[in-house]
Structure formats: structure tokens, C-alpha cells
Amino acid sequence: MANFLRIALKEIELEREYMKDVLRCFLHTIIFNRTLGAVTPREMEIDALDLTYVRVDVRDHTRSDLDRAVDLAIDQLCRIFDAQLSVSAVITLTFSTKEESRGWFYSKEEIKVFEQWLIPVRRKPDAYDETEKADRRATLTSAVRDRMLFILYRVNLRKDHLPPVPLPPADPTYNYSLSTHLSSDPTIRDFIH
């Protein structure tokens, strides 16, 4: 049994053309809401779906480690779908802290996970005609909005599992890791629905 909060979004069906934008939206929204201290928000738009979300603004013009980690996880998921290894997969976003424990003759760093988000994705075949594309776009916009509301509800529902924030925060975010799994992976299969 895990000693951390695990939150699973409802599976979302995505066509390839929307996959990166929608997953960036979900991941950056969660990360923004788990950012420590004062940060500058940056509004992002998904023009094709007429949606806006907020993410942490990167101060310099180079890509941040955060952007690289998010893009790497999304690219891994896209490669799974492009290679037709599976029609469904999950991106996992895990937040943790590092704690140092010391004894007489040792010192070790231990990673303590306190929250994990599961974002299940099913690859949807691309639409063929303009009418079908418009219908699917409207359905997807509604589905993304529903999941965004769920994310915002869940990040504010419970905070008792969050570790204390150091004053002042040394790092703007908790430690995080991103991974991609096939939906058949037994370590996550029971938590998605």
C-alpha cells in the first residue's frame, strides 16, 4: 500500500494533432499548482481548442529543465502510439522530497513520494472529414475542460499530505519526475479507470 496520495484523471481520447498541447496543459497545470513561493504565471493558449491554462513562467529564453522533462515524457508517449505498441498509455507525474537520515556511521538520502498523478491517454484515430473534425474538436474541448476542473478541484481538496514549505523556498518546485507506461503495466493498471 502506498503512503502517498495517488490521483488518476479519467482517461482521455486524443488524436495525434492535439496530444502534445493537451498533455502539456494537464502537466503544467498540476505543476503550477504544486509550485512553491511566489512565481510569475504565464498564460498559454491551445488555439485549436479555444482553451487557456496557466503555467510557471520561465524567466530566461532558453528551455527550462521543466519544459524538457514535460516534452520528453510527452514525446515518449507519442513514440509508443506512433510505433503502434499500444493504443493506451499513462503519463505519471510524481512529486517527492529528499530527506537525509544520519546514523553513527552512515548518512543516506531518501526520496519520499507524497503525491502522484496518473494521466491515462487513449490514441484516437484521426478524423477524416471536416464535419467529423469539428464534432470531435467540440467533444475534446469539453473533455479537456472537465479534466482541468478536476485537476483544480483535487489540488485544492487536500493539502495535509504536502510537506512543509521551507522558508524561503530554495527551489521553486517540489522534486518531480515524469514517466510513461503502457496502460497494461501492472504497477498502474489498478489505479486508472
Side-chain angles (χ1 to χ4, degrees):
M1 173 121 177
N3 291 326
F4 56 86
L5 182 62
R6 182 175 275 146
I7 304 164
L9 272 64
K10 185 177 174 187
E11 183 177 67
I12 189 159
E13 290 187 321
L14 295 172
E15 293 176 48
R16 183 68 168 86
E17 76 175 286
Y18 301 114
M19 200 164 292
K20 289 186 178 192
D21 287 336
V22 169
L23 293 174
R24 277 189 196 113
C25 170
F26 292 161
L27 292 168
H28 281 295
T29 299
I30 296 165
I31 293 167
F32 179 82
N33 283 280
R34 287 295 176 250
T35 301
L36 307 172
V39 295
T40 304
R42 180 174 170 201
E43 212 171 82
M44 302 296 293
E45 292 184 22
I46 304 175
D47 292 329
L49 301 177
D50 194 29
L51 290 171
T52 303
Y53 64 96
V54 177
R55 59 160 290 166
V56 175
D57 192 16
V58 179
R59 300 209 176 219
D60 61 291
H61 298 292
T62 61
R63 288 169 36 107
S64 71
D65 291 340
L66 172 63
D67 288 333
R68 279 192 289 277
V70 166
D71 286 346
L72 178 64
I74 293 170
D75 288 345
Q76 287 173 344
L77 184 95
C78 290
R79 280 195 297 277
I80 288 171
F81 292 141
D82 290 346
Q84 298 178 345
L85 297 175
S86 178
V87 294
S88 59
V90 177
I91 289 184
T92 304
L93 172 59
T94 304
F95 291 100
S96 62
T97 58
K98 291 181 185 175
E99 294 182 8
E100 191 173 332
S101 55
R102 294 177 180 257
W104 283 96
F105 302 106
Y106 71 91
S107 173
K108 70 176 184 176
E109 197 170 73
E110 188 177 352
I111 295 176
K112 297 229 177 194
V113 172
F114 63 86
E115 187 173 272
Q116 187 175 71
W117 290 80
L118 304 174
I119 304 172
V121 180
R122 179 169 294 279
R123 171 72 160 91
K124 191 172 196 171
D126 296 333
Y128 294 108
D129 61 41
E130 290 305 314
T131 304
E132 184 181 11
K133 282 183 181 183
D135 290 345
R136 284 188 178 187
R137 195 167 32 252
T139 301
L140 179 58
T141 299
S142 177
V144 172
R145 281 192 178 122
D146 288 347
R147 282 153 187 84
M148 292 296 292
L149 289 172
F150 176 79
I151 290 169
L152 295 173
Y153 171 75
R154 288 307 302 257
V155 296
N156 291 303
L157 179 65
R158 278 188 57 200
K159 296 187 180 182
D160 58 333
H161 67 290
L162 298 175
V165 176
L167 295 173
D171 206 355
T173 61
Y174 289 111
N175 297 323
Y176 63 88
S177 63
L178 286 154
S179 56
T180 305
H181 309 274
L182 298 178
S183 292
S184 59
D185 184 336
T187 60
I188 57 155
R189 176 178 55 220
D190 296 334
F191 299 99
I192 57 175
H193 37 282

